Amino acid sequence: MNRLVGGWGSLVLVLCGLLAITPVRALDPDRAIGQLTHVWYENQLPQGTVLSIAQRKDGSIWLATYGGLVHHSGAEFDTIDPRVAPALKSTAITAVCVDRDGTLWIGTLNGGLYRSRERDLEPVALPANIKSVFGIVQGRGGALWLTTNAGVARMGNSGIGLLSEASGFPPRGFYRAIVADAVGGVWIAVDGVGVVHWHDGQVETFDTQRGLPTNAVYSLAIDHDGVVWVGTQAGPVRYRHGRFERDPRVAALDSKRIYSLFGDRDGSMWFAPLGMGICRLTTTRFDCDNTMSGLVGETVRSMFEDREGNLWMGTTSSGVHRFSDSKLITVTGKMDSNAVRAVYQDHAGTLWVGTDGAGLARYDDQVLVPAKTINAKLPSLLLRAIVADAAGNLWVGSTEGVSRIAPDGTVRNFGIGDGLPGTIVFAFAPSRDGGMWVGTLQGVAKITGNKVSVVDGTHGDDTRALYEDPIGRLWIGERSGLRCLHDGRVDRCGTDGLPGMSVFAFHPEPDGDLWLGTSVGLMRIREQTVQAFTRRAGFYGDAVFAILDDDEGHFWMSSNRGIARLARADIDALDHGTVAQVEPHWYGKNDGMLSQQANGASQTPGWRTRDGRMWFGTANGVVIVDPKHQRVNRMRPPVAIERVLVDGRDAAPAHVGRIGPGVERIELHYAAMSYVAPAAVKYRYRVEGFDRGWIDAGGSRIAYYTNLPAGDYVFKVIASNNDGVWNTDGASVAFTIVPSWYESWWFRTLVAITVIGLLAAVYRLRVWRLHERQRELTREVAQRTEALRNANAELKRVAGLDGLTHIANRGAFNQRLREVLDRHAASGTPMAVLMCDVDAFKSYNDTYGHLAGDAALTAVAGALTGVLRRETDLAARYGGEEFAVLLAGCDVIEAAKIAQYMLEAVRALAIEHRSSDTAPHVTISIGIAALVPTAMDSPEQMLRCADEALYRAKANGRNRVGGGLDHPG
């Protein structure tokens, strides 16, 4: 956005719709600081010092840095400095403040004061001796208070004036902070002097005689109850009964320098003591965390709470940090490894965690604590399974056998020498007779007392899960299928044994149903009938490692794709045939997982504790799911159109107006200001007058349109936050594309008159020479008529081409798709649509430039069309880096072959793409929708099906083909 003309004013956010509700709650005080989602922005800023933070009514975040004013709308950070805003005379921004009218005030170092009501940045006249503004706050009465190089200034309706010693203020000093209370008072921290309080024209100074531990004061804050807090060189103090005093709850901070403190809206106090990281005082506890990346040894200079309850912290050198609540909590510990492979709660309520390299650990005071005494007795610290028996023994499976830990702490280890068929132990199942079933890499054994016996018929079987049912039958989940042990005989459990898949988990139901977590999704065995809930339940080859029931109507499952929640009502709907497809809700990094790779392939990778919470092991910590206390972000995200480019040139979003003629490409950049999980924000957009329906853009923040016909249009975009709450008002921009001369009414009228005149002349000539030149005139009329037809056909052809790639454009493709769909519905023959997207194309443009990007698109278009061999096939540029291919009379098998040829054709171009995570050269991903259409099918359904298949291809790694068998209905 630095390229916008007219300064930062052209960054105006066209806001449509207000926030749905009042500000939400603050960060959850029951979570440890380390359990909050922490995002660190440093390299995105022009300079690492963030002195002040504010939020405008449109939801945008504004930062004061020494490198310029910074605007943030959820994805990128845009710098406003004198290069883009000539009115700004200094790059050193020292303060930002948004008043109750929505005006943004900007204080600078040696550049004075500025304000922005709408989109214009304008300087504010100050007394000649005021050069720098360090702090800005609005008092209850509406006056603006400034701390400046010349002293404290008050700006109201009658103007601005300095408050001197005659008014009771101390001589000019170094002002550290200024805040306004709810009763009309203003508090100012003056380093070396103390705290100055102004109220109703009266000034009072607080120093060491009035309770301050030192006159070296750094920060001020007012908590939820209106109490004033001061951060000093010797710790924090609070104002009570006419003086300041220490709070014994934060005695650990008494000797610490407190450069910043903040009171959130729910009553917690946040402190940034030098050398202690971040500390927080809630109604029930005081805790600190000095392990946050980017904050260790850092000085926090500013804190701010936005309307969604996120807490922002600006630092001296490491930029800005954001703390947010998440759906899930990830717990780690100070251990050699936080890769968790097993979770189990014993009879005493202790939660045990088995790690991949740090042995056994306990969940204690919101962190993982290694069980050092026990670990010293284990043969291996690479654990795979944990369970307890009725006697209170804890059984641990590792890569070196079984360890039985007695309640008194004694450990009995079992290995190959004791009779185990294999050393790597993946599974346990307590037996009704008091023994313990053990599943290993080389078969199943049973340990009774100290005796180990191997189950015949399981030698060499890689066993991953065990379950003994009420009749004593042992279910055995293997890497190669399903087996059962009953009455000494191993069989296939009355099924086909599930060949070709692995079984990782069992979940029995009271009604006798048995659910299986497998390498391809969810399975159910009901009365010896196996029912698959894989693709139709939203599992596209996703392994299910653990299955937990929340007793609230949902299954929770872990996989390498994250954690999935699937409603039982959806399963019932599949059973009854009322729906053909359901999708689970997937949780991942946007929801608080440090790693969405859930570890599994062994017993107990997930566990539900007696308090109803569920625990899942991942590659980085154990994830806690609390279904009864999941925070929901109910705030509608404000939506703005931030930038419009017409053939690469900026146009003010609020005043696009009439453009053209001859416009080839329009880019519209938009944003939704939601910061809880910005990556989870979803968008839909449409151009009224062109698009038939909403286009699901996912997380993309740019819409591309090429070769729009002349006419009046309205572009509209709507967005949802991380919890799917939509702002359906969204934002919009109207524009008109002016027709080219050959598209104007007068030209068409002239052509019509000319044609009519020409026909009349030909007719008169034909009558005049009817007898003697009848054949010649007939041939001449035919030639002229054919010429006119060819001219019209050429005009139609040109109008249907994409101006860049010279293949069909979106309008021509949509028209052909409707025709082919109707024709195939009547004939009952198959057809297919391919949606192709150039992988990481934005990165390509950013790396090589738009000219190179245009050349790459043209080359890709040539490669796609070069694959097509039939005249009935059509390749078109559908928008931006997206292409669509129509294959008439083509079934899914042939469509898949053609799609593969297209992948290879693009690869063969060998266009360098060093910024791609997929390949070192330009690649594409393709989604296929193929069907024999009926009269009920529509082009939109088919395109949506192909687009969904494209999404799956990109989600599975890009540079590949997805879909092909789905019906758009």
Side-chain angles (χ1 to χ4, degrees):
M1 291 179 71
N2 287 345
R3 295 170 291 178
L4 295 182
V5 178
W8 82 272
S10 57
L11 299 176
V12 60
L13 304 179
V14 183
L15 179 67
C16 293
L18 301 175
L19 297 179
I21 57 173
T22 56
V24 295
R25 292 184 58 194
L27 298 177
D28 189 350
D30 294 328
R31 294 189 182 186
I33 296 174
Q35 293 178 353
L36 299 170
T37 297
H38 170 223
V39 181
W40 173 21
Y41 306 102
E42 178 182 15
N43 296 329
Q44 298 90 332
L45 305 184
Q47 197 270 341
T49 303
V50 179
L51 300 173
S52 181
I53 309 170
Q55 184 176 26
R56 300 196 75 167
K57 289 184 177 180
D58 62 12
S60 57
I61 297 293
W62 296 82
L63 310 176
T65 80
Y66 284 133
L69 180 66
V70 176
H71 160 263
H72 177 52
S73 58
E76 298 178 352
F77 290 79
D78 303 299
T79 302
I80 298 95
D81 57 26
R83 291 173 297 178
V84 295
L88 194 62
K89 301 304 180 185
S90 173
T91 60
I93 312 300
T94 50
V96 288
C97 173
V98 177
D99 67 20
R100 287 187 283 276
D101 293 331
T103 300
L104 175 68
W105 297 85
I106 305 105
T108 70
L109 183 66
N110 297 323
L113 179 69
Y114 301 82
R115 66 184 171 194
S116 165
R117 290 191 176 95
E118 294 292 337
R119 47 181 169 162
D120 297 324
L121 180 69
E122 58 179 335
V124 178
L126 298 175
N129 56 340
I130 297 181
K131 304 298 183 183
S132 301
V133 177
F134 303 113
I136 310 171
V137 71
Q138 187 178 31
R140 183 183 180 187
L144 208 65
W145 290 76
L146 314 173
T147 54
T148 76
N149 64 294
V152 178
R154 184 171 183 266
M155 185 166 60
N157 294 330
S158 58
I160 184 171
L162 283 169
L163 302 175
S164 62
E165 294 180 61
S167 303
F169 282 81
R172 290 188 306 180
F174 185 43
Y175 302 101
R176 291 281 192 175
I178 181 170
V179 296
D181 60 32
V183 296
V186 175
W187 301 77
I188 306 168
V190 188
D191 196 15
V193 174
V195 176
V196 176
H197 177 218
W198 178 95
H199 189 270
D200 287 339
Q202 301 298 315
V203 178
E204 191 175 10
T205 300
F206 296 85
D207 53 18
T208 55
Q209 301 300 316
R210 300 287 297 277
L212 292 178
T214 173
N215 289 337
V217 292
Y218 300 133
S219 53
L220 283 168
I222 299 177
D223 67 16
H224 177 71
D225 297 322
V227 176
V228 178
W229 289 74
V230 178
T232 77
Q233 191 179 42
V237 291
R238 60 181 177 176
Y239 181 75
R240 293 185 66 185
H241 309 304
R243 61 183 289 114
F244 285 93
E245 63 178 26
R246 294 191 183 276
D247 188 330
R249 296 174 298 173
V250 293
L253 305 180
D254 284 351
S255 61
K256 301 295 182 181
R257 297 188 180 193
I258 310 296
Y259 282 107
S260 185
L261 43 74
F262 183 81
D264 67 29
R265 62 175 59 104
D266 284 349
S268 296
M269 277 300 300
W270 295 81
F271 307 90
L274 193 63
M276 291 183 64
I278 303 300
C279 298
R280 178 184 55 182
L281 174 66
T282 71
T283 56
T284 58
R285 60 184 290 173
F286 172 76
D287 60 333
C288 297
D289 193 310
N290 196 24
T291 64
M292 299 290 182
S293 298
L295 286 173
V296 177
E298 183 59 275
T299 302
V300 176
R301 300 291 296 274
S302 55
M303 295 190 193
F304 177 78
E305 185 180 37
D306 68 25
R307 286 194 287 271
E308 291 178 301
N310 305 296
L311 187 64
W312 300 75
M313 295 186 185
T315 67
T316 295
S317 59
S318 65
V320 67
H321 300 249
R322 173 174 56 82
F323 293 86
S324 306
D325 277 327
S326 56
K327 299 292 182 187
L328 313 180
I329 299 173
T330 301
V331 181
T332 60
K334 295 181 179 179
M335 303 184 296
D336 292 338
S337 172
N338 275 291
V340 176
R341 298 297 296 265
V343 187
Y344 182 82
Q345 186 181 39
D346 66 16
H347 304 305
T350 301
L351 186 78
W352 297 94
V353 172
T355 70
D356 201 1
L360 197 62
R362 299 182 183 89
Y363 177 72
D364 186 14
D365 195 22
Q366 299 185 327
V367 296
L368 300 182
V369 180
K372 296 182 180 179
T373 302
I374 296 176
N375 288 338
K377 304 175 183 178
L378 301 181
S380 170
L381 298 183
L382 302 172
L383 306 190
R384 295 294 181 267
I386 309 172
V387 75
D389 60 24
N393 299 305
L394 193 69
W395 295 74
V396 176
S398 73
T399 57
E400 295 295 334
V402 174
S403 298
R404 184 179 63 204
I405 307 164
D408 62 2
T410 58
V411 177
R412 170 67 163 90
N413 294 316
F414 299 86
I416 293 278
D418 299 287
L420 284 180
T423 56
I424 303 179
V425 176
F426 294 109
F428 292 115
S431 175
R432 292 185 302 168
D433 61 9
M436 181 63 69
W437 298 103
V438 180
T440 78
L441 185 66
Q442 296 296 323
V444 179
K446 186 176 183 181
I447 300 178
T448 305
N450 290 326
K451 180 182 178 182
V452 179
S453 56
V454 179
V455 175
D456 292 336
T458 68
H459 288 282
D461 292 338
D462 185 351
T463 304
R464 298 303 175 117
L466 296 172
Y467 162 63
E468 186 179 276
D469 66 19
I471 65 172
R473 176 171 48 182
L474 181 68
W475 296 74
I476 305 171
E478 299 178 349
R479 268 290 189 184
S480 57
L482 177 67
R483 300 291 184 270
C484 282
L485 172 66
H486 190 52
D487 294 333
R489 183 172 62 89
V490 176
D491 58 26
R492 296 181 178 180
C493 312
T495 71
D496 64 354
L498 306 184
M501 68 182 68
S502 303
V503 178
F504 299 128
F506 295 107
H507 180 81
E509 297 272 52
D511 61 3
D513 288 352
L514 182 63
W515 291 91
L516 281 63
T518 76
S519 56
V520 295
L522 198 61
M523 300 281 180
R524 182 179 64 195
I525 299 179
R526 175 177 286 178
E527 298 177 352
Q528 295 187 339
T529 299
V530 179
Q531 294 166 292
F533 295 85
T534 51
R535 289 174 59 90
R536 66 185 182 129
F539 295 96
Y540 301 96
D542 304 298
V544 174
F545 298 133
I547 309 169
L548 303 179
D549 191 335
D550 64 6
D551 289 340
E552 299 289 336
H554 298 91
F555 279 143
W556 294 76
M557 293 152 284
S558 64
S559 80
N560 283 331
R561 188 176 166 188
I563 295 173
R565 183 192 68 199
L566 183 61
R568 283 182 174 270
D570 288 343
I571 296 175
D572 292 340
L574 289 175
D575 283 339
H576 297 148
T578 55
V579 298
Q581 176 74 37
V582 299
E583 293 289 335
H585 181 89
W586 288 95
Y587 296 83
K589 288 188 176 181
N590 291 333
D591 303 293
M593 298 179 70
L594 297 182
S595 169
Q596 66 185 35
Q597 175 188 327
N599 284 331
S602 60
Q603 198 93 355
T604 64
W607 195 263
R608 180 184 169 187
T609 50
R610 289 189 284 275
D611 59 8
R613 291 187 292 176
M614 289 171 285
W615 307 68
F616 294 95
T618 74
N620 191 3
V622 60
V623 171
I624 307 173
V625 178
D626 191 347
K628 297 180 180 179
H629 298 93
Q630 284 205 353
R631 287 197 168 191
V632 178
N633 183 4
R634 303 188 186 279
M635 184 170 289
R636 295 194 308 161
V639 185
I641 298 172
E642 295 188 303
R643 192 179 186 194
V644 177
L645 288 92
V646 179
D647 285 340
R649 296 183 178 180
D650 283 298
H655 306 288
V656 176
R658 295 168 61 85
I659 55 178
V663 172
E664 293 186 356
R665 182 174 62 182
I666 299 176
E667 293 182 27
L668 301 108
H669 300 237
Y670 44 82
M673 272 60 77
S674 178
Y675 305 101
V676 174
V681 173
K682 303 298 181 187
Y683 298 92
R684 294 174 184 162
Y685 66 81
R686 65 181 299 184
V687 168
E688 295 177 355
F690 181 76
D691 292 317
R692 291 190 172 186
W694 290 100
I695 297 172
D696 286 317
S700 173
R701 291 162 51 109
I702 306 177
Y704 300 92
Y705 285 88
T706 57
N707 296 319
L708 285 174
D712 298 324
Y713 300 101
V714 176
F715 174 81
K716 187 173 183 180
V717 58
I718 60 177
S720 70
N721 65 14
N722 60 303
D723 275 315
V725 177
W726 284 88
N727 179 350
T728 54
D729 294 330
S732 62
V733 57
F735 59 93
T736 298
I737 297 181
V738 178
S740 299
W741 62 270
Y742 53 84
E743 298 175 306
S744 60
W745 67 268
W746 58 264
F747 177 75
R748 292 177 179 176
T749 302
L750 180 61
V751 170
I753 293 173
T754 302
V755 171
I756 293 172
L758 180 61
L759 291 176
V762 171
Y763 176 74
R764 293 183 63 183
L765 181 61
R766 180 175 177 273
V767 172
W768 180 57
R769 300 181 60 187
L770 179 60
H771 297 289
E772 67 272 17
R773 297 183 60 189
Q774 184 174 3
R775 290 184 180 179
E776 181 181 352
L777 290 175
T778 301
R779 184 168 55 254
E780 184 178 351
V781 170
Q783 290 174 347
R784 291 176 182 269
T785 303
E786 181 65 20
L788 182 61
R789 183 182 300 111
N790 291 338
N792 289 334
E794 179 62 15
L795 286 175
K796 184 176 180 181
R797 186 189 69 83
V798 171
L801 292 181
D802 175 62
L804 175 64
T805 61
H806 301 294
I807 64 175
N809 60 25
R810 182 173 183 160
F813 181 87
N814 288 339
Q815 180 178 351
R816 178 76 70 82
L817 176 58
R818 286 191 292 271
E819 296 170 354
V820 172
L821 187 66
D822 292 340
R823 188 164 65 249
H824 283 65
S827 64
T829 54
M831 61 177 291
V833 168
L834 312 182
M835 293 300 291
C836 314
D837 191 80
V838 181
D839 297 325
F841 188 70
K842 182 179 183 302
S843 300
Y844 186 93
N845 268 343
D846 292 342
T847 302
Y848 299 95
H850 286 284
L851 292 178
D854 290 347
L857 290 177
T858 302
V860 170
L864 298 181
T865 56
V867 173
L868 303 180
R869 294 292 182 267
R870 298 178 299 180
E871 293 183 357
T872 56
D873 296 338
L874 177 67
R877 186 178 178 200
Y878 206 70
E881 68 271 23
E882 194 171 37
F883 297 83
V885 180
L886 176 60
L887 303 175
C890 182
D891 60 17
V892 64
I893 297 176
E894 183 64 18
K897 291 180 180 179
I898 293 174
Q900 190 61 41
Y901 293 153
M902 289 180 171
L903 284 182
E904 295 168 358
V906 173
R907 294 169 185 158
L909 294 175
I911 302 173
E912 181 185 87
H913 192 352
R914 60 177 178 272
S915 57
S916 173
D917 294 330
T918 304
H921 51 78
V922 169
T923 60
I924 62 172
S925 299
I926 302 179
I928 304 175
L931 78 163
V932 178
T934 67
M936 300 299 293
D937 294 317
S938 69
E940 290 78 9
Q941 290 174 314
M942 197 162 191
L943 288 169
R944 183 176 68 251
C945 183
D947 197 60
E948 290 171 352
L950 173 61
Y951 170 78
R952 292 194 294 272
K954 294 173 74 66
N956 289 331
R958 297 189 174 97
N959 193 17
R960 64 191 64 214
V961 177
L965 299 180
D966 296 322
H967 189 285

